[in-house]
């Protein structure tokens, strides 16, 4: 999987200026671009701006996608319901918006220089899931990929755990689904290929730190169960997580 620290539209550096002035032909109205923090990921920032006709509390990323803050003050992408914008559970930084089926608000502003800048001590990196393509012979219909875990009742039970889960992601290595609730959860769940393994967090401990402490045990369980997480599973789980009403956190990599 290609390593990308932060998805499109995040922490942008604009050489020689604090913001971009789009070409007149683009007809994009920019009013004081803002550098905002993303509470879902420690140390993450990205730029937004407000076109003149943008609804209240809605902004646009520099790659053209509408975003807003939800009730938890987390930045999420928006989707269109007729002419209106509705918040989704796709957290900014967790997905490539085009791959998640989201529509841009306007054409992307052309950016001459983009640099992702990791923050020291952030403890987390977010990676974009890579797209997969399959060549289909002419005249044949493309088949729909459905992972085995979609038919596993023990795995799918996660959708009923709303009292203890509100966000789902993929651990980088071993590549397994993980889930928890809030910024300081009491329990973090990891799919070991056979069941949801529970890891108890100490008071004030971050999810990435709990996962880091359990990496060796998780690797042993995954190897014992011969579980393999395929790259094509990523977009399927991201859609399933949002269907359950959970936040999609993308790929989570605890600092080593």
């Amino acid at each position: 999987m290609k390593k990308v620290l932060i998805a499109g539209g995040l922490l942008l550096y604009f050489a020689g200026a604090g913001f971009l002035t789009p070409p007149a032909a683009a007809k994009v109205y920019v009013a004081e671009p803002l550098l905002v923090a993303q509470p879902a990921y420690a140390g993450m920032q990205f730029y937004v701006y407000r076109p003149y006709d943008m609804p209240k509390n809605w902004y646009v990323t520099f790659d053209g996608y509408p975003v807003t803050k939800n009730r938890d003050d987390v930045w999420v992408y928006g989707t269109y319901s007729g002419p209106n914008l509705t918040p989704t559970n796709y957290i900014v930084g967790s997905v490539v918006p085009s791959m998640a089926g989201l529509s841009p608000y306007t054409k992307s502003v052309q950016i001459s220089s983009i640099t992702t800048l990791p923050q020291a001590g952030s403890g987390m990196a977010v990676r974009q899931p890579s797209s997969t393509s399959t060549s289909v012979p002419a005249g044949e219909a493309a088949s729909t990929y459905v992972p085995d875990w979609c038919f596993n009742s023990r795995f799918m039970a996660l959708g009923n755990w709303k009292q203890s889960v509100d966000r789902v992601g993929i651990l980088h290595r071993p590549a397994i689904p993980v889930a928890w609730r809030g910024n300081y959860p009491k329990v973090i769940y990891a799919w070991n290929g056979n069941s949801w393994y529970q890891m108890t967090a100490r008071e004030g401990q971050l999810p990435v730190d709990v996962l880091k402490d359990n990496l060796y045990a998780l690797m042993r369980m995954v190897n014992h169960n011969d579980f393999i997480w395929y790259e094509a599973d990523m977009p399927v789980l991201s859609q399933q997580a949002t269907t359950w009403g959970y936040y999609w956190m993308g790929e989570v990599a605890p600092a080593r």
Side-chain angles (χ1 to χ4, degrees):
M1 183 174 291
K2 183 179 179 181
K3 183 177 180 181
V4 180
L5 285 177
I6 300 177
L10 312 183
L11 190 55
L12 306 180
Y13 172 75
F14 305 98
F19 58 89
L20 279 177
T21 302
K27 296 183 179 178
V28 176
Y29 298 83
V30 179
E32 296 185 7
L34 302 174
L35 179 63
V36 298
Q38 174 57 293
Y41 302 121
M44 175 180 153
Q45 297 175 301
F46 62 102
Y47 279 95
V48 295
Y49 67 97
R50 288 201 69 198
Y52 75 99
D53 56 352
M54 203 67 183
K56 183 179 179 181
N57 298 326
W58 283 91
Y59 296 81
V60 180
T61 62
F62 271 4
D63 58 345
Y65 288 88
V67 295
T68 189
K69 295 180 83 171
N70 62 17
R71 62 180 181 276
D72 298 320
D73 285 332
V74 173
W75 287 94
V76 296
Y77 287 107
T79 187
Y80 287 97
S81 178
N84 301 318
L85 281 168
T86 303
T88 71
N89 280 337
Y90 286 117
I91 293 177
V92 176
S94 70
V95 296
V96 179
S98 58
M99 290 178 62
L102 301 173
S103 299
Y105 178 82
T106 184
K107 291 183 180 179
S108 301
V109 176
Q110 292 184 355
I111 301 174
S112 59
S113 176
I114 302 178
T115 305
T116 56
L117 302 178
Q119 297 294 315
S122 65
M124 177 182 290
V126 182
R127 295 171 171 83
Q128 296 177 354
S130 300
S131 61
T132 58
S133 59
T134 303
S135 58
V136 180
E140 293 186 16
S143 59
T144 301
Y145 173 70
V146 181
D148 291 343
W149 49 262
C150 288
F151 304 100
N152 188 323
S153 60
R154 283 175 290 184
F155 184 96
M156 298 300 287
L158 183 68
N160 298 320
W161 297 354
K162 292 180 171 56
Q163 295 301 315
S164 55
V165 171
D166 69 352
R167 53 202 73 190
V168 177
I170 297 296
L171 186 62
H172 173 54
R173 187 177 298 171
I176 53 175
V178 291
W180 66 88
R181 182 178 184 84
N183 294 326
Y184 299 98
K186 296 181 179 179
V187 178
I188 294 88
Y189 301 91
W191 180 253
N192 63 17
N194 185 52
S195 62
W196 287 102
Y197 177 70
Q198 299 184 31
M199 295 162 284
T200 302
R202 299 187 299 272
E203 184 176 357
Q205 192 176 22
L206 293 171
V208 289
D209 295 326
V210 179
L211 291 168
K212 180 181 178 181
D213 292 344
N214 287 271
L215 286 178
Y216 180 71
L218 292 172
M219 183 69 76
R220 285 176 58 89
M221 285 184 279
V222 170
N223 290 339
H224 176 76
N225 293 327
D226 294 324
F227 178 70
I228 300 176
W229 179 261
Y230 297 100
E231 198 165 337
D233 292 5
M234 178 81 81
V236 180
L237 183 58
S238 71
Q239 294 178 11
Q240 183 61 62
T242 58
T243 298
W244 284 331
Y246 300 151
Y247 300 135
W248 174 245
M249 303 298 293
E251 191 174 8
V252 180
R256 296 184 180 275

